[in-house]
Amino acid sequence: MKTTSHSDKAFPWDTPIQYLKKVGPQRTFLFRALNVETLEDLLYFLPFRYEDRSALKKIANLTITDTIETVVGEIQNVTLAQTARRGMKIVEVALADETGVLHAKWFNQPYLATSFKKGDHLMVSGKVRIGLFNRNQFEIESPQYEIIDQNEPQIHLGRIVPIYHETKGLTSRQIRLIVWLLLEEYKTMIPDRLPSTLIEKYKLIPLSSAISECHFPSKETSRSLLHSGQTLAHQRLAFDEIFLLEMGLAIRRKKVTVKEKGISFQTDSALVRKMKTLLPFQLTSAQESVCIEIEKDMTLAHPMYRLLQGDVGSGKTVVALMAILIAIENGYQAALMAPTEILAQQHFLSLLPYFQTLGCRLLLLTAGLKKKEKEEAIQKIESGNADLVIGTHALIQDEIGFANLGLAVIDEQHKFGVLQRAKIIQKGCHPDILMMTATPIPRTLALTLYGDLHFSTIREMPKGRTPVVTRVFSAKHRDQVYGLMEKAFLAGRQAYLVCPLVEASEKMDLKAATQLAQQLQETIFQNYRVGLLHGRMKQSEKEQIMEAFKNGDIHLLVATTVIEVGIDVPNATVMVVEHAERFGLSQLHQIRGRVGRGGKQSYCFLIGEYPQSNEAKARLAVIESTHDGFKIAEEDLALRGPGEFFGTKQAGLPELKIANLLRDSEILEVARKEAFLWIENDHDLHLPESSLIRAAFERKWKGKLEWLTY
């Protein structure tokens, strides 16, 4: 494969921006707030929108519309005035060309009076209107402007102008000039890291041209493609970015399948067969199919890395249990890591009767254990006297050592960062890994975040599940919701009420769980017992409250999102969510999944504060209309974007700054295929044709390469 004649070292990617023209120490500090520290950072700090200031008009041809008009004229007069009433300072410039005069005004920017000089040529751009006090003159308020100076590039007007995100003390105009000067000095040095064969195959424009065009588009560039980020220049940068990201995932996959020697389990398990006879139900065909996929992985000589996704209540835990029993029967330990103590305890209590019958040893390890209890638990884990250890983040603490960990199951895996997952893997010698999530992941996002994993999906729900009836209410109809809750209490049922915060916030007028629980107990539901559950409570308090709720001693459990996962009380048939517009779709779907677990019809009432944004209304309409978690996940991704899909960014993976997983799904498929093919042929990136890509890859994954080694 051929590359360009430039070596990657010819371009100083890592050079601090401090040394650029017009930057210096002070602006370097300001740029840091925008996550821009090097020349490469600045080159890939793309405009977030563009303004078309390319069409120059004569003053006599200006029109009174909402469109942006741009003119060039000679300054005839400059005045600085102050209003009598409010003391507002107004700079006014009379700008003339051969066809007429335009009056430009700026408010509370008195320094401009000394910036503009009579006789200077000035370019202004903005919306034109008829003068307030003189109906015969054109005026333009607070326009973008540029003093025509032959010694400086004319980049702010008279063209398609890039608009950048700003920070206090650093304007888009200033950034624009700095980027222009950077490109003027270095553009011809920017190397094409991709080989010519790949560039020609997909008709990609040169990297240097792509970067330049994204910052300063040509006049003929399609405005619609620019605004949607789909110009050839944007597509080239998106391709490169995804290609480098997928390379890391490909290297990880290659490392697992070629270098890592795992455990080849015998999957014909007497424990599994006996467990199936103990279950009060039969596995669905979807569960059986996934069990076969997992068993096939477990027989291989390299570690299993599989992501099991399934909707709320689809029966993922039972499938994971079968894999756990296979590991135990082969003489290995298993670990089940959950994000919360409540969920860990829920797993422990539900599995304990089965393990006692099967003669297997089950252990619970959480941060809430007393010192002596924790020491005893650690001793059992280290000596091999625990077959399955269920726990929270406590499992990955340094002092925890397994005798022979063969399988790690990570529940609600998106609650953990990549490096946290890596720590549980390091507790064994290349154990099999099964990750589970009840937040179905759209294909494009899955390929990006988990491109090194195999996927299993449970789409079939167990028989007998009645869909939860979901309704959206405005806050003014809250009393109607309370009436429906009381109707459930009278029928012997229980309810949840979820609030976003534990305590009142001055910044956001949200219902606080602590205050609301007290208010409901003292007013609306005096004849019923109201309980409170939130993340700041001690573990013993949480356990006490949950036990009382399970036993039916608490009618209404007011809680924060701590109940999002892990709570299973079949008698609870009503879920109420306060400020539902504040939650993501997938999170609302998870919360709704806490009810509908018994045979009785269940309800989810979403209370929204109005007025709401169109996006908030759209979210609530989706959750009201469907129970399909996969459809909900797709809608959630479309509405909120991939960066916010899980609420927090995935730790351990390079951030996508340019590519958009929805918009660029086709590019993702192609770039992924080529990246995996490249690593198949050169998994260490040591061939000569990989030198440019290797350097770019190491910069992209800088500080995150540890993730590739676990």
Side-chain angles (χ1 to χ4, degrees):
M1 296 182 185
K2 295 180 180 179
T3 59
T4 61
S5 59
H6 294 291
S7 72
D8 197 45
K9 292 182 180 178
F11 187 83
W13 297 103
D14 290 325
T15 298
I17 59 170
Q18 177 176 344
Y19 303 107
L20 287 175
K21 296 175 183 176
K22 304 286 186 181
V23 181
Q26 179 60 32
R27 284 185 174 169
T28 296
F29 176 78
L30 297 175
F31 266 116
R32 199 168 295 138
L34 299 170
N35 294 317
V36 174
E37 297 190 31
T38 66
L39 299 197
E40 184 169 27
D41 292 338
L42 186 54
L43 286 175
Y44 286 90
F45 183 68
L46 298 190
F48 74 95
R49 66 181 178 89
Y50 301 85
E51 287 185 0
D52 189 355
R53 305 176 189 168
S54 58
L56 291 175
K57 276 192 174 183
K58 295 299 181 182
I59 292 174
N61 296 330
L62 292 175
T63 56
I64 312 301
T65 66
D66 279 338
T67 58
I68 300 296
E69 305 273 39
T70 303
V71 301
V72 175
E74 182 178 327
I75 296 177
Q76 302 292 305
N77 189 32
V78 181
T79 60
L80 174 61
Q82 182 169 316
T83 60
R85 237 176 121 185
R86 297 186 180 178
M88 181 183 292
K89 295 182 179 179
I90 303 174
V91 173
E92 182 173 347
V93 168
L95 196 64
D97 66 10
E98 65 273 22
T99 68
V101 178
L102 172 69
H103 292 264
K105 295 182 178 181
W106 292 265
F107 302 93
N108 285 330
Q109 298 179 69
Y111 62 90
L112 291 178
T114 57
S115 300
F116 302 136
K117 295 180 175 57
K118 184 177 179 180
D120 282 351
H121 282 78
L122 186 69
M123 187 183 296
V124 294
S125 184
K127 296 178 182 179
V128 179
R129 71 176 193 180
I130 297 295
L132 285 177
F133 303 106
N134 185 346
R135 306 295 292 177
N136 294 319
Q137 73 178 26
F138 285 128
E139 288 186 356
I140 185 169
E141 289 188 356
S142 303
Q144 297 288 331
Y145 69 90
E146 181 168 0
I147 299 171
I148 306 299
D149 184 345
Q150 299 304 320
N151 297 320
E152 275 200 4
Q154 309 303 315
I155 59 172
H156 306 293
L157 296 170
R159 62 178 305 125
I160 300 174
V161 177
I163 307 298
Y164 298 89
H165 286 295
E166 301 178 345
T167 188
K168 188 175 181 180
L170 191 60
T171 67
S172 180
R173 180 187 178 89
Q174 292 166 334
I175 295 171
R176 191 179 305 128
L177 178 58
I178 292 167
V179 172
W180 176 273
L181 295 174
L182 167 61
L183 287 170
E184 283 287 289
E185 184 172 358
Y186 289 107
K187 179 183 173 182
T188 58
M189 296 172 58
I190 296 175
D192 238 317
R193 56 187 62 142
L194 297 182
S196 58
T197 51
L198 206 55
I199 292 172
E200 291 166 6
K201 181 177 180 180
Y202 294 106
K203 296 180 172 55
L204 302 174
I205 67 175
L207 182 60
S208 58
S209 299
I211 292 173
S212 181
E213 277 291 312
C214 281
H215 286 287
F216 297 99
S218 307
K219 286 187 177 182
E220 61 272 14
T221 305
S222 164
R223 308 307 192 255
S224 62
L225 291 180
L226 259 182
H227 294 149
S228 62
Q230 292 180 296
T231 66
L232 292 177
H234 283 93
Q235 289 180 343
R236 168 62 203 266
L237 298 189
F239 186 100
D240 279 30
E241 187 175 48
I242 296 172
F243 184 83
L244 293 173
L245 177 65
E246 292 294 333
M247 267 194 152
L249 300 175
I251 289 171
R252 173 70 194 133
R253 171 78 68 84
K254 191 74 174 177
K255 182 176 183 292
V256 169
T257 56
V258 174
K259 294 184 178 181
E260 292 185 1
K261 183 172 175 57
I263 305 163
S264 182
F265 290 98
Q266 296 295 322
T267 57
D268 183 18
S269 170
L271 284 176
V272 169
R273 288 193 293 273
K274 187 172 182 181
M275 182 67 206
K276 288 182 178 180
T277 66
L278 296 175
L279 292 172
F281 53 82
Q282 281 190 326
L283 297 185
T284 65
S285 58
Q287 288 173 316
E288 291 282 12
S289 177
V290 170
C291 282
I292 292 171
E293 292 175 356
I294 293 172
E295 288 174 11
K296 184 178 178 181
D297 268 6
M298 294 182 75
T299 63
L300 300 176
H302 57 76
M304 170 177 71
Y305 287 93
R306 185 167 287 275
L307 178 65
L308 172 58
Q309 26 176 27
D311 215 337
V312 177
S314 61
K316 298 179 297 300
T317 305
V318 174
V319 170
L321 176 59
M322 302 307 166
I324 288 168
L325 292 175
I326 289 173
I328 292 173
E329 190 157 341
N330 278 261
Y332 288 90
Q333 292 171 296
L336 173 55
M337 188 163 71
T340 66
E341 293 191 3
I342 288 178
L343 180 53
Q345 187 182 48
Q346 182 80 37
H347 283 315
F348 177 79
L349 293 175
S350 62
L351 294 181
L352 185 58
Y354 296 113
F355 268 63
Q356 288 174 336
T357 304
L358 294 171
C360 298
R361 297 162 296 183
L362 184 62
L363 181 70
L364 178 65
L365 179 68
T366 65
L369 292 179
K370 295 178 181 178
K371 183 178 180 182
K372 186 176 181 181
E373 292 175 329
K374 186 176 181 181
E375 289 173 352
E376 290 175 354
I378 292 174
Q379 194 278 326
K380 288 181 180 179
I381 297 170
E382 291 177 343
S383 64
N385 288 321
D387 297 314
L388 171 61
V389 184
I390 298 176
T392 56
H393 296 77
L395 288 176
I396 60 177
Q397 292 176 353
D398 292 339
E399 67 263 34
I400 308 299
F402 284 79
N404 58 342
L405 181 64
L407 171 68
V409 179
I410 303 172
D411 198 7
E412 294 301 324
Q413 59 80 34
H414 63 273
K415 302 283 187 179
F416 298 95
V418 173
L419 297 181
Q420 288 176 312
R421 297 198 295 265
K423 284 189 175 182
I424 189 67
I425 293 170
Q426 292 164 357
K427 297 295 181 181
C429 185
H430 304 311
D432 281 6
I433 305 299
L434 179 63
M435 304 179 192
M436 301 194 298
T437 180
T439 303
I441 305 167
R443 175 174 170 78
T444 52
L445 194 61
L447 287 175
T448 304
L449 296 179
Y450 309 108
D452 60 323
L453 303 178
H454 294 287
F455 288 79
S456 289
T457 303
I458 302 176
R459 284 191 174 269
E460 181 183 358
M461 296 296 285
K463 293 180 180 179
R465 283 291 177 94
T466 304
V468 178
V469 174
T470 305
R471 290 181 60 190
V472 177
F473 290 84
S474 66
K476 63 183 179 182
H477 294 134
R478 189 176 279 110
D479 288 344
Q480 185 179 346
V481 174
Y482 291 157
L484 293 169
M485 293 166 69
E486 184 166 20
K487 186 177 179 180
F489 299 153
L490 291 171
R493 307 297 166 202
Q494 294 163 275
Y496 300 96
L497 192 152
V498 175
C499 295
L501 295 180
V502 177
E503 296 173 355
S505 167
E506 292 179 0
K507 294 182 180 178
M508 299 167 66
D509 185 22
L510 304 180
K511 295 291 181 184
T514 48
Q515 294 175 356
L516 188 57
Q518 182 178 356
Q519 176 190 339
L520 291 175
Q521 182 68 87
E522 294 174 354
T523 57
I524 308 297
F525 299 120
Q526 293 180 6
N527 298 325
Y528 305 96
R529 187 177 173 195
V530 178
L532 175 65
L533 184 71
H534 59 75
R536 297 181 191 174
M537 297 169 69
K538 293 180 181 178
Q539 180 60 21
S540 59
E541 294 174 325
K542 293 178 187 175
E543 293 173 3
Q544 195 174 24
I545 291 293
M546 279 311 305
E547 193 63 30
F549 190 57
K550 288 177 186 176
N551 294 337
D553 297 330
I554 292 176
H555 299 89
L556 171 61
L557 183 61
V558 178
T560 59
T561 53
V562 70
I563 67 141
E564 182 182 344
V565 293
I567 307 299
D568 190 358
V569 180
N571 192 51
T573 59
V574 176
M575 170 64 70
V576 179
V577 182
E578 285 279 2
H579 289 276
E581 75 279 1
R582 300 283 182 179
F583 295 85
L585 268 181
S586 295
Q587 190 177 29
L588 284 174
H589 185 54
Q590 283 270 25
I591 292 170
R592 177 171 61 182
R594 297 308 102 205
V595 295
R597 294 176 169 262
K600 300 293 182 180
Q601 179 65 62
S602 294
Y603 303 87
C604 179
F605 303 134
L606 306 176
I607 300 178
E609 295 290 339
Y610 291 87
Q612 296 178 10
S613 67
N614 290 332
E615 180 194 336
K617 290 178 181 176
R619 281 208 310 271
L620 297 185
V622 169
I623 203 75
E624 189 176 31
S625 63
T626 182
H627 291 82
D628 185 339
F630 292 88
K631 182 178 179 182
I632 288 170
E634 292 282 0
E635 292 286 346
D636 205 9
L637 180 59
L639 287 169
R640 294 198 292 155
E644 298 178 21
F645 181 72
F646 286 127
T648 56
K649 292 180 181 177
Q650 279 295 108
L653 287 176
E655 183 183 352
L656 290 175
K657 296 181 179 178
I658 299 164
N660 180 295
L661 297 180
L662 292 177
R663 180 193 65 210
D664 302 322
S665 58
E666 291 183 10
I667 295 175
L668 169 63
E669 297 277 358
V670 172
R672 171 182 163 78
K673 180 187 73 173
E674 293 294 348
F676 272 68
L677 182 61
W678 191 292
I679 296 304
E680 187 65 33
N681 297 324
D682 183 15
H683 60 270
D684 290 324
L685 296 176
H686 281 251
L687 294 178
E689 55 264 37
S690 296
S691 60
L692 294 177
I693 293 178
R694 180 181 179 86
F697 172 81
E698 289 176 347
R699 290 195 307 275
K700 178 79 173 177
W701 285 83
K702 187 177 182 180
K704 302 176 185 296
L705 289 172
E706 179 186 352
W707 181 82
L708 297 177
T709 65
Y710 73 82

